[in-house]
Amino acid sequence: MDVKIKSMKHEDFKDNEYIDKLVEELNATGANVMVGKLDQLINWGISNSLWPLTFGTSCCAIEFMSLGAARYDMARFGFEVARNSPRQADYIMVQGTIVYRMAPVLRRLYEQLAEPKYVIACGGCAVSGGPFKNSYCVVKGVDEILPVDVYIPGCPPRPEAFFYGLMQLQRKIKVQKFFGGVNRKEKIEEFFAEHPEEKGRIG
Amino acid sequence: MFNFGTWTSEFNNFLMGFLPDWLTVVVECVIIAVLVLLTYTVLALFYILYERKLCAWFQCRLGPMRVGRWGLLQVFADMFKILLKELISLKDTDRFLFKLAPYIVITSSVVMLACLPWGNGLQIIDYNIGIFFILAVSSVGVLGILLAGWASNNKYTLIGAMRSGAQMISYEISLGLAIMTIIVLAGTMNINSLVWEQDSAWFIFRGHIPAIIAFLIYIVAATAETNRGPFDLPEAEHELVAGYHTEYSGIHFGFFYLAEYLNLFIVSGIASLMFLGGWMPLHIPGWEGFNNVMNWIPSIVWFIGKSFFVSYLIIWFKWTFPRVRIDQMLAFEWKYLMPLSLANLVLMAVCVALGWHF
Amino acid sequence: MSDIKELISGICPGATFTEGETLLVTVEEKDWYPLAKALKETKGLEFDVLSALIGMDWKESLGVMYYLTSTSRGWEMISVKVAVADRENPMIHSVSDLWKVALFQEREVYDFYGIKFINHPDMRRFFLRNDWVGYPLRKDYDTNPALNPLRMTDEENEDDTVSYVEQPDGKIKEVPGKVFEESDYVVNIGPQHPSTHGVMRFRASVDGETVKKVDVVSGYIHRGIEKLSENLTYPQILHFTDRMDYMSAHQNRHCLCMCIEKAMGLEIPRRAQVIRVMMDELMRISSHLLAFGCTAMDLGATTAFFYGFREREMILDIFERTCGARMSMNYNVIGGVIADLHPDFVKDVKHLIEIMPDRLKEYHKVFSGNIIAKNRLKKVGMLPKEDAINYDITGPSGRGSNWSCDCRKVHPYSIYPELDFEEVLLDGCDSYARYMVRMKEIEQSCRILAQLVDNIPEGDIRAQVPKVVKLPVGHWYQQVEASRGTFGVYIESDGGKNPYRVHFQSPCFNLVGVMDLTCRGNMIADLITIGAALDFVIPDIDR
C-alpha cells in the first residue's frame, strides 16, 4: 500500500520517511480485505473533500484568500467549500498568531468541529509564535492547545506552500483507518489523560 | 413522440402476470421509491458540481479539476465524507425537533420531485390539482427551516429562520400568482394536461406579454423561495455564519445542502413545465418538418435540458448580484412584485377573455 | 506658534514649554482638563483633532502624551505632556467627552499602564483579558508567566464595567456599571466570523434586526508589539510594521523609517525616496482592491471579489520581483530600501497603469453600478464630518465624509509635495462614499505612479547608516498616509540602541471606534457592510 496523491509524485514530498514508516506499520498489522478496501474508499472521499473552516487572524488569512482566488484556485482540489460554521468544516487552518485571549476561542472552535477533524498550523506564528514569541501574551505555537497535523512554515507561506501542506494532510488521511486502527478518539483520551482538569468542562 | 407509458404499462402487465394485485402495487411502489431517491441523489450531486463549475467559470477559475476527470468525481468524494461526518448532538436544544427538521425539508423536496413530468408518460403522481399540490408541498419545507432555526438554540439560526419564514411566506404569493396567470391561460391544473396544452406552442409564446412578465416574476420569486442569492438571507454566510443550519453537522447538514440544490432543480422544473412546455419539444405551428425533427429528441432530454437552462439563469444571478437586505427584500415583494403580479393576472385574464393569445 | 504659548499661559499659568519638533506643553494633572477644554474650544486655537494619545512610563512618573492638531490653523500640531507621580493609583482626567476618539485610546492606556481616567464612562481593559494581572507596558511589569498563564477558560463578567466619577466635592467615586441591560438581546459577532475581517468581536444588542448598541471587544490578536519593540534594536523593530496593517505594509514601514531617520538626521537618496513613494502607491492600490473585493464579498457579490483579486495578484507580482515576497515585504530599511528595483519593474508598473482604468469600469459594472449594491451602501452608516473629525477618522473613510485629511497634503512628506494628484473628497458621509473614495484613489495612485515611473533617478538606494543605530535623547512623532488613514509612529529614545518607547498610532483603531455610532439604528446586515466599507484591519487595531 502506497499513498498516492494525484499530480504530486512520491519523491516530491520531502519527508517521505515519516509517512512511509506509518504505511509500513499499518501493512505489518494487516487488514481485512473488505475493511481495507472500504477504508481506502472512505479515505479517498475524506482526503479529496477537505472543507476548511474560515479562520484567519492575520496576514496568512490574506494569503489564504489568494489561495481561493483565481490564480491559485483551491477549488481545483475541491478545497473551496469554506464553511463558516465549524460543525460543517473538516479542518481548521490556523492562520496567524494566536494570543492568550484567542486561545480558548480557538480550542472551542476545534471542539466544535465534527469528527474526523484535522488541524493545520500555517505560518510562523501558528507554528511557534514566530516573530512574537517573546511577547507577554502570544501562544508559542498552536500545538500547545491543539493536536496539529501539518505545519506550514512561512511568514506568510506562499500559496504553493499551502497546497503542499494540504497535500501532506491528504497523505496523512490516506493512511488512517476509519475502522479500528488509527483512531482519533484515542487522541482525545490521551488529551484528557494529560489535562484531567479539562474533562468536566468539555465533557 | 415516444411514450414512456408503454414501457411502464408493459412492466405493470408483466408483474400482474404472476403476482396478486396488492403485491404488484407494493413492488411498484418500492421500485418507484428507489428510483425517486436515486434520481434525487444523482441530480443533487450533479447540481452541486454544476454550480461549482459554473461559478468557477464566472469567476475566471477552473473549479474542481483533480478528483476524477474534470473533477467529475468531486461530489462523490464530498458525499462519502459528509456521510461519515460525526453528528453532533447539542446541549440545551430540542433534540427531537432538531433531528426532525432536516427530514421535513428533504421530504418536501422529494415529494415535489415526484410530481414533475419527466417525460411523455413518465410521471409518478398525476392529480387533477397537480400544480396546486406542488405549491402546497413546497410550503412545508419552510416549516423544516423554521424548526431547524428554533431547535438549534442559537441566535444566528433563529434570525436565519425568522428571515426565512418572512421571505418564503411573502414570495409564495408572487410565485402562486405567476403560476395562476398561466393556469388562467391553460384552464387546467393537471400537470399532464398542462404539458399537452403546450403542444402547439409553449405557454411563454402562447401567452406573449403577460406570460413573459409572469415568467420573470416567477424566476425572481423562485430564487427567493429557494433561498438563493440575491435572496439568500436565511443563510447569509457573511452575516449569519451559515444561517439556519449553522449547528447542523454531517448528514443532517448534508440533507439541507442536497435539498437546497434539489429545490433549485424543482423550481426550474416547474418553470419549464409552466412556461417552457415541460417535456414538450419546441413546436412551431405550421413547421411540420421542424416539429418532427424536434420530436425525435426524447422528451426526458427536453425536460431536463430546459430545467438546467432555467437553473443556469438562477445560478447566474446568484453569482453576480449582491445580497439584498431583509427590509428591502420584503418591501420589494409587497410594494412592487405582488401588485405587479396581480395586475399581470388581470392582464392575462383580459387576454384570455378577449382571445388575444395564440 | 508664539500666540499659542501666550494663549495657553493665559489659561494655565503653570504650563511649561519646550521647543522641539512640535511645541511640547507640560502641565500638571489638575490643570489638564480645563486646558484641554480651552484648547478645543477657544477661538484661535481650536485643536479639534486628537491625533495621538500615548501612554508613557517615565519610571518616576506615569503619564500621557497628547498630540493635538488644529485643522483651522493649517494642521498645526502641539503635544501636551501630563504626568502623575502616583504609581499605585494613577488617575488623569478623561478627555473623551471633548475628543470622542479618546474613548478607546484611554482604555488602551488603562490596559497598558493602569492609568485610570476620571469621568471615562467605560473603564474596562481593551486588549487583554479582564483577569490579566499587571500592566504590561509599565517598566516594572512582572513578566513571570505564572502570574498570567495561558488560561483556557472563558472570561467571566464580560458585562461588568466601571467608571471613576468625580464628585462635586472633588472626591473620585468608583461607579460599577453594565455594558448591556439584562433585557437586551445580545448577538455575538466574532471573533471567528467570516465578515469581521479577522478576529474582531462585536456584541450587538438588537431589537428585531435593528442594532441598538455595539460593544467592540478587541484584543484577539493583540501581540504586544509595542512592548516587544522596547527590547529590540531599531533595525529589528522594522519588521513589525509589515505585520500590523499588512495591507499598508510599505507605508507603515516608510513611516517608522522616516521617524528614525528624522531622529538621526539622515538624508535619504532621491532614488530611494522615489522607490518608496512608488511602493506606497502600489500598496495603496492593492489595499483598495482588497477592500473592494471584501466589500463585495460581504455583500454577497462573490464574483466581484475574484475580479479584485485578479488585479491584486499583478501588484503582488511586482512586489515579489523586487522585494522577494508577496506579503510582509520588509522592503524599507533605515536610510533607504533594501534592494534595487527588478529590471521588469518599470514595464510591469506601466502595464498596470494601462489596464487599471478599464478594470475600474468593470468593477463598477459588476458591483457598485448594481442597484442592489447601491441600495445596500447608500445612506447606510452615516458619519457626519464633525463626527469624523471628533473620532479622528482619517483616510478614505474620513474623506468620504468630506473631511480633507490626506496626510500627503496636510503634512507633506517625502516627495509628495512635488507630485500632482488630487485629494479625493466626497460628501456622501455614507458607506457608498467611502467605497467610491477608494475606487477614485486607485485612479489617483495610478496618476502618481505614471508621473514617477519614467522618472526614477539613478543613484544610491540607501544612505550610509552606522552599523549600530542609536538615536539621541528625545521624542519624535511622524505621520504618513497609509491605505486606511493617518498612521503615526511615536518614538521616545533615552540615547541607547533600543527605543525607550515606541507607539504606533493606527488608523484602524479609530475606525473601529465609530462602529457603535454608525451602526445604531441600522440592521444587522448593515453592521457587516459598515464594517466592510470602513475596511479596518484587525492586527492594526490590536498591534
Side-chain angles (χ1 to χ4, degrees):
Chain A
M1 181 171 119
D2 184 26
V3 188
K4 283 205 187 83
I5 299 292
K6 198 170 178 181
S7 25
M8 188 84 175
K9 283 199 238 65
H10 182 250
E11 310 84 72
D12 288 348
F13 285 107
K14 292 220 167 85
D15 63 339
N16 284 321
E17 301 81 24
Y18 167 72
I19 299 271
D20 287 347
K21 225 176 104 200
L22 202 60
V23 173
E24 245 168 57
E25 266 174 38
L26 286 171
N27 283 347
T29 51
N32 184 314
V33 177
M34 273 298 286
V35 173
K37 284 284 169 210
L38 212 53
D39 259 341
Q40 272 184 22
L41 185 68
I42 289 165
N43 290 339
W44 172 82
I46 296 175
S47 68
N48 280 313
S49 157
L50 289 167
W51 294 357
L53 174 74
T54 44
F55 176 82
T57 61
S58 52
C59 336
C60 299
I62 306 288
E63 281 300 74
F64 184 73
M65 282 154 92
S66 303
L67 194 69
R71 162 100 49 108
Y72 295 98
D73 190 16
M74 60 180 175
R76 291 177 295 147
F77 302 88
F79 300 149
E80 92 275 32
V81 196
R83 301 305 311 180
N84 302 316
S85 164
R87 310 270 184 220
Q88 297 146 13
D90 298 307
Y91 66 99
I92 184 167
M93 213 174 202
V94 185
Q95 299 146 355
T97 325
I98 298 303
V99 301
Y100 281 14
R101 197 171 202 177
M102 192 66 202
V105 182
L106 176 63
R107 242 287 277 294
R108 179 180 296 173
L109 282 172
Y110 175 73
E111 284 155 11
Q112 283 177 338
L113 285 173
E115 295 275 357
K117 55 189 173 187
Y118 310 93
V119 179
I120 298 183
C122 288
C125 302
V127 172
S128 68
F132 310 106
K133 75 175 192 322
N134 292 327
S135 172
Y136 48 85
C137 64
V138 168
V139 178
K140 286 145 198 75
V142 282
D143 43 10
E144 283 191 10
I145 47 173
L146 304 179
V148 178
D149 290 285
V150 176
Y151 296 87
I152 307 178
C155 190
R158 290 184 56 87
E160 289 89 339
F162 276 91
F163 280 136
Y164 184 81
L166 280 165
M167 284 179 178
Q168 291 281 23
L169 180 62
Q170 288 189 324
R171 295 174 76 205
K172 238 183 137 168
I173 291 169
K174 285 202 174 170
V175 290
Q176 78 181 7
K177 287 191 172 177
F178 191 79
F179 298 106
V182 184
N183 196 326
R184 297 185 62 89
K185 273 256 150 52
E186 285 173 356
K187 276 201 179 171
I188 290 179
E189 269 142 31
E190 271 169 36
F191 176 81
F192 280 137
E194 282 169 32
H195 306 268
E197 75 282 1
E198 302 287 350
K199 202 152 191 172
R201 209 178 66 77
I202 304 166
Chain B
M1 265 176 295
F2 178 74
N3 190 347
F4 286 95
T6 49
W7 282 8
T8 46
S9 49
E10 255 175 45
F11 183 70
N12 186 34
N13 293 339
F14 165 72
L15 282 184
M16 292 282 241
F18 58 93
L19 287 177
D21 280 5
W22 64 271
L23 200 57
T24 314
V25 173
V26 168
V27 169
E28 282 176 355
C29 282
V30 168
I31 290 173
I32 286 168
V34 169
L35 275 178
V36 167
L37 288 179
L38 210 65
T39 324
Y40 190 93
T41 326
V42 172
L43 258 181
L45 289 180
F46 170 80
Y47 257 69
I48 292 172
L49 188 69
Y50 185 55
E51 167 149 45
R52 278 167 81 171
K53 277 290 197 187
L54 277 181
C55 93
W57 291 333
F58 292 142
Q59 296 166 350
C60 339
R61 297 187 287 123
L62 289 171
M65 284 299 282
R66 297 299 172 109
V67 192
R69 195 157 180 84
W70 306 307
L72 287 178
L73 297 179
Q74 180 63 54
V75 279
F76 291 96
D78 289 344
M79 186 187 71
F80 279 123
K81 186 212 60 188
I82 229 166
L83 278 172
L84 292 162
K85 283 294 268 189
E86 180 190 7
L87 288 173
I88 299 174
S89 55
L90 301 171
K91 216 173 130 188
D92 300 332
T93 54
D94 192 325
R95 297 271 167 95
F96 175 69
L97 292 183
F98 184 76
K99 286 185 178 148
L100 181 69
Y103 293 96
I104 294 183
V105 171
I106 204 146
T107 312
S108 97
S109 73
V110 172
V111 174
M112 281 198 278
L113 188 79
C115 295
L116 293 177
W118 289 88
N120 194 359
L122 265 186
Q123 198 181 349
I124 298 159
I125 310 172
D126 192 15
Y127 289 134
N128 53 355
I129 51 155
I131 193 72
F132 190 62
F133 178 72
I134 291 182
L135 281 179
V137 172
S138 81
S139 317
V140 176
V142 194
L143 184 64
I145 290 175
L146 276 172
L147 281 185
W150 172 254
S152 301
N153 190 18
N154 177 321
K155 287 172 184 168
Y156 287 129
T157 59
L158 187 60
I159 295 173
M162 296 323 287
R163 282 181 176 186
S164 164
Q167 171 179 344
M168 289 209 175
I169 288 166
S170 311
Y171 278 81
E172 206 124 88
I173 297 171
S174 290
L175 191 89
L177 286 172
I179 288 177
M180 196 105 87
T181 316
I182 295 302
I183 291 171
V184 169
L185 177 66
T188 175
M189 283 205 215
N190 182 307
I191 288 169
N192 204 20
S193 333
L194 274 171
V195 178
W196 279 109
E197 278 284 316
Q198 307 184 60
D199 190 19
S200 57
W202 298 347
F203 281 143
I204 196 163
F205 302 127
R206 284 188 57 198
H208 54 92
I209 295 167
I212 290 168
I213 296 173
F215 181 68
L216 296 177
I217 292 170
Y218 178 85
I219 291 282
V220 173
T223 314
E225 277 290 291
T226 45
N227 295 333
R228 296 184 65 80
F231 303 108
D232 55 347
L233 293 127
E235 42 198 301
E237 292 217 329
H238 298 278
E239 294 153 24
L240 302 180
V241 182
Y244 60 87
H245 58 59
T246 303
E247 296 287 357
Y248 283 88
S249 69
I251 192 63
H252 283 162
F253 161 65
F255 283 160
F256 284 117
Y257 199 60
L258 287 184
E260 188 193 322
Y261 281 96
L262 215 86
N263 284 340
L264 176 60
F265 175 79
I266 287 164
V267 295
S268 317
I270 298 172
S272 69
L273 162 71
M274 299 306 290
F275 300 95
L276 305 174
W279 48 259
M280 189 61 76
L282 180 62
H283 287 169
I284 299 171
W287 294 21
E288 285 312 317
F290 175 80
N291 290 350
N292 282 335
V293 172
M294 289 291 128
N295 284 347
W296 275 102
I297 302 171
S299 49
I300 190 162
V301 175
W302 275 107
F303 179 73
I304 291 179
K306 284 174 200 168
S307 307
F308 284 1
F309 168 73
V310 178
S311 312
Y312 174 81
L313 291 181
I314 295 177
I315 292 173
W316 188 7
F317 50 75
K318 160 160 187 171
W319 291 103
T320 312
F321 292 148
R323 184 181 299 123
V324 297
R325 211 170 54 204
I326 182 80
D327 57 329
Q328 294 171 345
M329 190 190 65
L330 294 179
F332 177 64
E333 159 67 20
W334 292 100
K335 285 189 185 162
Y336 305 103
L337 209 59
M338 198 186 66
L340 181 69
S341 4
L342 279 170
N344 191 45
L345 181 62
V346 174
L347 180 66
M348 180 59 103
V350 171
C351 282
V352 172
L354 301 177
W356 291 346
H357 63 87
F358 301 111
Chain C
M1 193 65 99
S2 55
D3 64 318
I4 294 187
K5 280 194 199 171
E6 277 166 28
L7 282 164
I8 292 176
S9 306
I11 302 154
C12 163
T16 54
F17 301 95
T18 321
E19 292 288 347
E21 185 196 9
T22 55
L23 179 70
L24 174 67
V25 186
T26 312
V27 289
E28 297 273 318
E29 201 285 318
K30 64 177 176 26
D31 296 334
W32 164 232
Y33 187 75
L35 176 65
K37 207 170 165 64
L39 281 173
K40 173 138 191 265
E41 287 161 5
T42 309
K43 200 104 183 105
L45 288 171
E46 288 173 290
F47 282 89
D48 46 3
V49 185
L50 178 60
S51 296
L53 192 156
I54 303 152
M56 287 295 303
D57 180 1
W58 290 288
K59 286 183 182 147
E60 72 279 2
S61 61
L62 290 164
V64 179
M65 287 285 285
Y66 298 86
Y67 274 85
L68 299 169
T69 308
S70 168
T71 50
S72 56
R73 292 174 64 98
W75 290 79
E76 190 176 344
M77 201 181 234
I78 60 162
S79 48
V80 181
K81 177 176 165 178
V82 182
V84 279
D86 182 4
R87 291 189 76 86
E88 287 307 308
N89 193 21
M91 281 192 164
I92 294 179
H93 275 83
S94 166
V95 289
S96 57
D97 52 339
L98 300 171
W99 296 283
K100 286 280 165 43
V101 60
L103 276 173
F104 280 7
Q105 297 201 340
E106 286 176 347
R107 278 176 67 188
E108 179 194 315
V109 172
Y110 168 66
D111 201 355
F112 287 166
Y113 291 97
I115 299 173
K116 292 167 185 159
F117 288 88
I118 302 163
N119 295 337
H120 188 289
D122 181 14
M123 210 70 257
R124 277 177 296 159
R125 279 188 179 267
F126 195 64
F127 291 137
L128 296 167
R129 291 172 61 101
N130 55 19
D131 48 6
W132 195 270
V133 182
Y135 302 100
L137 261 81
R138 282 195 186 185
K139 293 289 175 187
D140 56 359
Y141 172 66
D142 189 352
T143 51
N144 183 6
L147 276 176
N148 287 300
L150 174 54
R151 292 187 178 90
M152 295 307 287
T153 49
D154 291 331
E155 287 165 64
E156 277 164 26
N157 308 328
E158 277 188 320
D159 261 350
D160 290 352
T161 178
V162 67
S163 64
Y164 300 91
V165 183
E166 191 173 22
Q167 303 295 311
D169 60 353
K171 289 231 171 61
I172 310 295
K173 191 180 163 206
E174 192 176 324
V175 183
K178 289 274 180 202
V179 182
F180 288 108
E181 302 287 322
E182 193 72 31
S183 57
D184 279 340
Y185 186 77
V186 181
V187 176
N188 180 66
I189 301 171
Q192 184 265 339
H193 186 277
S195 298
T196 49
H197 296 215
V199 276
M200 199 66 208
R201 180 171 171 217
F202 301 111
R203 291 165 72 222
S205 67
V206 292
D207 176 14
E209 285 220 23
T210 312
V211 177
K212 289 201 298 193
K213 181 182 181 183
V214 178
D215 178 37
V216 176
V217 187
S218 191
Y220 289 91
I221 180 80
H222 171 65
R223 296 156 295 188
I225 285 176
E226 290 175 11
K227 180 77 176 178
L228 281 171
S229 303
E230 288 173 12
N231 298 321
L232 296 172
T233 64
Y234 290 102
Q236 282 174 330
I237 61 173
L238 290 177
H239 77 277
F240 286 135
T241 49
D242 285 35
R243 285 159 182 81
M244 290 192 314
D245 182 355
Y246 35 78
M247 300 313 302
S248 322
H250 281 310
Q251 291 109 310
N252 291 359
R253 202 164 157 119
H254 191 170
C255 184
L256 180 55
C257 287
M258 272 202 299
C259 195
I260 297 171
E261 285 153 7
K262 181 158 75 178
M264 289 167 77
L266 209 59
E267 193 65 36
I268 310 304
R270 170 98 189 156
R271 184 176 172 83
Q273 301 249 19
V274 172
I275 293 175
R276 277 181 176 182
V277 167
M278 289 188 78
M279 287 298 180
D280 285 1
E281 294 309 316
L282 283 170
M283 195 82 223
R284 198 182 314 280
I285 299 177
S286 110
S287 164
H288 288 349
L289 285 175
L290 186 96
F292 160 76
C294 290
T295 311
M297 194 156 79
D298 286 353
L299 260 71
T302 327
T303 304
F305 164 82
F306 286 85
Y307 290 179
F309 253 72
R310 186 180 56 192
E311 272 70 63
R312 188 173 166 264
E313 285 287 342
M314 294 174 58
I315 298 172
L316 293 190
D317 278 349
I318 296 174
F319 285 154
E320 191 177 7
R321 286 193 177 146
T322 293
C323 318
R326 289 159 52 84
M327 288 187 71
S328 310
M329 277 71 70
N330 300 326
Y331 189 56
N332 289 329
V333 289
I334 299 167
V337 294
I338 199 161
D340 209 343
L341 294 174
H342 188 269
D344 285 346
F345 180 79
V346 172
K347 194 186 83 197
D348 291 345
V349 171
K350 277 184 178 166
H351 178 59
L352 181 80
I353 301 168
E354 201 181 305
I355 62 157
M356 261 342 269
D358 281 347
R359 298 289 158 92
L360 285 172
K361 277 182 204 137
E362 189 182 352
Y363 299 159
H364 188 69
K365 229 189 249 171
V366 165
F367 177 64
S368 42
N370 188 314
I371 179 87
I372 300 176
K374 277 187 182 156
N375 280 339
R376 287 295 308 275
L377 292 170
K378 278 189 177 167
K379 303 281 170 232
V380 167
M382 298 301 283
L383 181 71
K385 186 176 172 185
E386 303 77 60
D387 283 327
I389 295 173
N390 208 351
Y391 280 90
D392 193 15
I393 301 300
T394 49
S397 305
R399 293 194 281 278
S401 297
N402 204 16
W403 182 31
S404 163
C405 56
D406 193 330
C407 205
R408 295 172 293 179
K409 292 279 189 195
V410 298
H411 291 296
Y413 57 95
S414 194
I415 58 163
Y416 279 111
E418 305 162 22
L419 297 169
D420 175 32
F421 68 100
E422 280 165 25
E423 182 180 2
V424 182
L425 286 176
L426 292 178
D427 55 3
C429 304
D430 53 7
S431 295
Y432 191 70
R434 280 166 224 149
Y435 166 85
M436 284 315 282
V437 168
R438 289 205 171 81
M439 293 292 105
K440 293 205 167 122
E441 275 191 7
I442 295 181
E443 286 169 16
Q444 294 303 324
S445 291
C446 285
R447 195 164 145 196
I448 294 174
L449 285 171
Q451 288 168 42
L452 290 175
V453 71
D454 283 325
N455 301 313
I456 305 173
E458 294 297 318
D460 290 334
I461 53 160
R462 229 181 356 261
Q464 283 292 327
V465 179
K467 282 244 163 54
V468 179
V469 178
K470 278 188 180 171
L471 301 194
V473 181
H475 62 90
W476 298 269
Y477 187 67
Q478 175 67 45
Q479 290 181 320
V480 298
E481 182 70 16
S483 309
R484 281 163 187 75
T486 305
F487 178 82
V489 171
Y490 173 88
I491 296 180
E492 177 148 347
S493 167
D494 57 358
K497 61 187 193 331
N498 301 340
Y500 183 76
R501 168 88 166 103
V502 179
H503 175 75
F504 297 106
Q505 186 66 39
S506 59
C508 301
F509 190 91
N510 299 345
L511 288 177
V512 82
V514 290
M515 278 305 276
D516 185 33
L517 178 78
T518 47
C519 290
R520 280 191 189 198
N522 286 312
M523 315 206 88
I524 295 185
D526 288 333
L527 192 146
I528 305 297
T529 52
I530 291 167
L534 286 171
D535 187 30
F536 36 75
V537 164
I538 314 304
D540 193 32
I541 300 167
D542 287 1
R543 302 191 295 279

